[in-house]
Amino acid sequence: MKNLAQSNYRSALETIKNLKEKYGETWHAILPERAARMLVQNRFKTGLDIANYTADIMRKDMAQYDTDTSQYTQSLGCWHGFIAQQKMIAVKKHHSTTRKRYLYLSGWMVAALRSEFGPLPDQSMHEKTTVPALIKEIYDFLKQADAVELNDLFRRLADGEDVQDQIDNFETHVVPIIADIDAGFGNEEATYLLAKKMIEAGACAIQIENQVSDAKQCGHQDGKVTVPHEDFIAKLNAIRYAFLELGVTDGVIVARTDSEGAGLTQKLPVSQNPGDLASQYLAFVEVEDIAIRDAKEDDVLLKRNGNLVRPIRLPNGLYKFKEGSNIDRVVLDCITSLQNGADLLWIETPTPNVKQIAHMVNRIKEVVPNAKLVYNNSPSFNWTLNFRHQAFDEMLAEGENMTMYDRNNLMDTQYDGSELCHRADEKIKTFQADGAREAGIFHHLITLPTYHTTALHMNDLTEGYFGKEGMLAYVKHVQRQEIRKGVASVKHQRMAGSDLGDDHKTFFAEEKALRAGGEKNTSNQFETSQKKNSIAKELGVVA
């Protein structure tokens, strides 16, 4: 998407020229070309600018997906601005465009990696302010990526290269964030207040789940407790009001249901009319028939079909849902959310199985035909084992002789080159396209990839560095790879803004500027066939 029109630079240039003329000689040191350049290097002045811009992107992508399911979108979870920045730089480098590539902000990673309490489980115990702070941090790093890349282009332009078209049609690194607000961190007013902070930081899409806020559990752990629909709808309304108050009219709400794996509810809603939402919710609660004479003091009783029943209540006061009711609850949750302001759905599932997901989504689509999912391609799944099981079952159904495989030990490396392995890996490879086509999945994300890649790369580096390879472990497996693959961060001084700062200091102080990018800057060692410096023509300074 080309999103930096040539007229923006020219318009800025003309505006600053007029201002300089207005203020006269006191602005003699301000060069309009430099000021206009700095303006286009910082296109987004506020988080609300970002939220509105990215919300528009998401809405257009959602509409395109409705007409063509191959046009699904993707993201990776990031827990630091630098990681998000490097991800989007790599996206542009390898795929030429950021279109349909988003970012995901995971509450799990905020809890595990960003809390002042230290590493925490995904139970909404971390500071709520950490979430908007991370959104702002991510966008600060993405805006810096814009500034650094554009600064390089302006340097090349000043050095005589014909890069004007690249400047005029520059594509920003700023993309939509789907941000996790967990269960809302309190009542609906608390949800509204936090949602505002997230939107002000730049979030165009907020994901909220239907668990009890103060009893929240990770979607892939046991002990989940859901809330009645009326409670969840109030929080959907709170988020919508937050979007509208801040002028982000196209803001996106992702409603997540944990009912597939949740067997408990904290409270019983009050039904006003037969068959209303509260009544439907109560119908899922496990009960036992009881005569009034057998009721205990302080028992909670319901009237159902003319008879008294007693909801099954645990010692902690929580109520149990009926066994086997989970899928019906998921479907009702999703339909209800879409009918009450949600734009996208999120269904937590126990395994990544396209047919199982499609079974639920197709039931939802019977009522809401354009229902769409955000789906968690979670590292909590053992993808290898799950898909080897799926491949095993398919091959068995096709009449294949499966005696060579031990179904209870399919992770064994002995199967890595087998037909079973090839089938399973192909299913993993096409899972996102298959899910988009067959199961209504508009957006695929991996919640915790950078948590695992960081751990894996540290494992590999420390094995060699503290072992026999010594420094070669770093040089061979990190720096040499960065150089040969053109990874931006190999010149870490530039990536942190050193070149950008040099140019700005020269703008401000001319020849008196103390610049970092001279001959003694060791980053020059990473220049190969490229010119060492292309700033001279504009700045009149030799590196």
Side-chain angles (χ1 to χ4, degrees):
M1 184 180 296
K2 306 303 184 184
N3 50 43
L4 186 62
Q6 185 173 8
S7 59
N8 286 350
Y9 176 77
R10 292 180 177 175
S11 175
L13 189 62
E14 190 63 31
T15 298
I16 296 165
K17 284 180 178 178
N18 292 336
L19 284 170
K20 184 171 180 179
E21 182 177 344
K22 175 182 177 181
Y23 289 104
E25 185 59 24
T26 60
W27 281 36
H28 70 276
I30 303 300
L31 300 185
E33 293 78 9
R34 292 178 175 179
R37 167 177 162 179
M38 293 174 73
L39 189 149
V40 298
Q41 286 174 188
N42 183 21
R43 174 183 175 185
F44 302 98
K45 305 303 184 283
T46 71
L48 291 178
D49 291 339
I50 293 172
N52 273 302
Y53 167 75
T54 53
D56 181 62
I57 290 175
M58 278 197 72
R59 291 289 179 176
K60 289 176 180 176
D61 286 347
M62 290 161 65
Q64 187 172 17
Y65 174 82
D66 285 339
T67 62
D68 181 1
T69 58
S70 70
Q71 299 300 306
Y72 60 90
T73 57
Q74 300 166 289
S75 66
L76 295 172
C78 299
W79 53 272
H80 193 279
F82 176 72
I83 293 174
Q85 179 196 69
Q86 294 304 302
K87 172 199 159 182
M88 296 317 303
I89 289 173
V91 164
K92 285 187 69 175
K93 182 178 75 172
H94 292 297
H95 304 287
S96 303
T97 179
T98 61
R99 289 183 67 249
K100 301 191 183 304
R101 280 91 177 189
Y102 302 171
L103 291 163
Y104 180 66
L105 188 151
S106 161
W108 192 101
M109 285 210 283
V110 172
L113 299 169
R114 298 303 298 259
S115 173
E116 292 185 9
F117 292 108
L120 295 171
D122 184 20
Q123 296 173 4
S124 287
M125 294 189 290
H126 57 279
E127 310 87 336
K128 65 176 71 176
T129 53
T130 309
V131 181
L134 179 54
I135 295 170
K136 180 181 183 302
E137 175 184 293
I138 286 173
Y139 281 127
D140 284 346
F141 272 83
L142 295 183
K143 289 195 296 179
Q144 188 204 37
D146 281 359
V148 168
E149 185 176 342
L150 277 164
N151 192 65
D152 287 350
L153 288 170
F154 278 112
R155 283 184 167 203
R156 291 167 60 190
L157 185 69
D159 203 36
E161 289 190 56
D162 184 13
V163 293
Q164 187 63 57
D165 183 66
Q166 294 180 54
I167 294 172
D168 294 341
N169 296 289
F170 181 79
E171 183 177 53
T172 180
H173 297 84
V174 170
V175 296
I177 282 181
I178 299 175
D180 186 0
I181 199 172
D182 283 349
F185 285 90
N187 61 24
E188 53 269 30
E189 174 69 2
T191 300
Y192 153 78
L193 293 172
L194 179 55
K196 283 212 306 179
K197 290 295 184 185
M198 294 167 68
I199 298 162
E200 287 170 341
C204 72
I206 294 178
Q207 167 217 332
I208 185 166
E209 61 206 55
N210 67 338
Q211 290 192 47
V212 175
S213 183
D214 59 358
K216 180 259 189 307
Q217 293 276 16
C218 172
H220 291 280
Q221 292 183 320
D222 204 356
K224 294 182 289 293
V225 184
T226 62
V227 298
H229 296 103
E230 293 87 345
D231 293 17
F232 192 58
I233 290 170
K235 293 192 174 184
L236 296 180
N237 292 338
I239 296 172
R240 182 62 65 203
Y241 275 109
F243 273 124
L244 293 174
E245 178 183 336
L246 295 172
V248 184
T249 55
D250 285 331
V252 176
I253 300 176
V254 182
R256 169 176 144 182
T257 174
D258 283 288
S259 289
E260 201 285 337
L264 302 168
T265 184
Q266 190 177 53
K267 67 180 185 180
L268 304 176
V270 177
S271 175
Q272 302 294 337
N273 298 292
D276 62 12
L277 272 176
S279 176
Q280 293 178 68
Y281 192 81
L282 290 169
F284 291 124
V285 175
E286 185 175 341
V287 298
E288 57 186 358
D289 293 324
I290 188 172
I292 189 64
R293 63 179 179 275
D294 297 325
K296 300 176 183 178
E297 288 294 317
D298 300 320
D299 258 351
V300 174
L301 304 179
L302 298 174
K303 181 180 179 181
R304 184 171 293 174
N305 299 322
N307 300 314
L308 282 178
V309 295
R310 178 167 56 197
I312 303 299
R313 185 162 55 170
L314 304 179
N316 57 16
L318 300 174
Y319 296 92
K320 290 181 63 178
F321 285 117
K322 296 177 183 175
E323 290 291 330
S325 68
N326 55 335
I327 302 304
D328 291 336
R329 285 186 280 121
V330 165
V331 172
L332 181 61
D333 290 347
C334 291
I335 292 171
T336 302
S337 293
L338 292 174
Q339 290 176 336
N340 288 275
D343 302 292
L344 296 169
L345 301 171
W346 175 309
I347 301 174
E348 283 288 7
T349 65
T351 60
N353 187 303
V354 171
K355 291 181 180 179
Q356 292 174 2
I357 301 165
H359 172 71
M360 292 182 282
V361 172
N362 288 336
R363 289 181 58 186
I364 297 163
K365 284 188 171 184
E366 291 174 6
V367 181
V368 185
N370 69 338
K372 292 181 283 295
L373 284 188
V374 172
Y375 188 73
N376 178 8
N377 293 207
S378 176
S380 293
F381 302 140
N382 185 330
W383 287 77
T384 302
L385 187 60
N386 270 292
F387 280 85
R388 286 186 180 183
H389 278 302
Q390 292 179 39
F392 184 97
D393 291 338
E394 287 184 4
M395 292 169 71
L396 190 65
E398 292 167 4
E400 296 274 350
N401 180 1
M402 304 302 290
T403 56
M404 66 174 288
Y405 300 106
D406 178 2
R407 201 182 197 287
N408 296 317
N409 193 31
L410 293 181
M411 276 293 293
D412 198 299
T413 56
Q414 67 175 307
Y415 302 129
D416 283 358
S418 66
E419 173 63 19
L420 177 79
C421 168
H422 293 314
R423 282 207 190 194
D425 283 357
E426 184 62 24
K427 290 171 72 68
I428 294 170
K429 180 180 177 181
T430 63
F431 174 80
Q432 295 188 343
D434 295 342
R437 182 182 62 255
E438 300 173 22
I441 301 176
F442 159 73
H443 186 77
H444 283 277
L445 61 89
I446 306 177
T447 44
L448 319 177
T450 52
Y451 180 92
H452 292 281
T453 54
T454 301
L456 177 62
H457 293 162
M458 268 297 120
N459 174 79
D460 294 348
L461 176 60
T462 55
E463 179 183 17
Y465 179 73
F466 294 106
K468 294 180 179 180
E469 283 189 296
M471 190 58 194
L472 181 61
Y474 175 79
V475 172
K476 181 179 179 180
H477 303 298
V478 180
Q479 189 180 79
R480 194 175 295 166
Q481 298 304 313
E482 286 181 299
I483 294 169
R484 292 178 176 173
K485 295 179 180 180
V487 176
S489 63
V490 70
K491 292 191 282 190
H492 50 262
Q493 308 286 15
R494 168 191 169 275
M495 197 68 257
S498 182
D499 291 353
L500 183 65
D502 272 359
D503 286 8
H504 290 171
K505 285 185 285 186
T506 306
F507 292 174
F508 309 151
E510 298 294 350
E511 70 277 359
K512 293 184 290 295
L514 186 63
R515 300 172 62 249
E519 292 181 2
K520 294 184 179 181
N521 188 321
T522 58
S523 290
N524 295 333
Q525 297 172 29
F526 297 101
E527 301 287 351
T528 52
S529 60
Q530 300 176 355
K531 293 180 181 179
K532 299 270 184 170
N533 201 316
S534 61
I535 194 175
K537 284 194 177 179
E538 182 182 356
L539 301 179
V541 178
V542 178

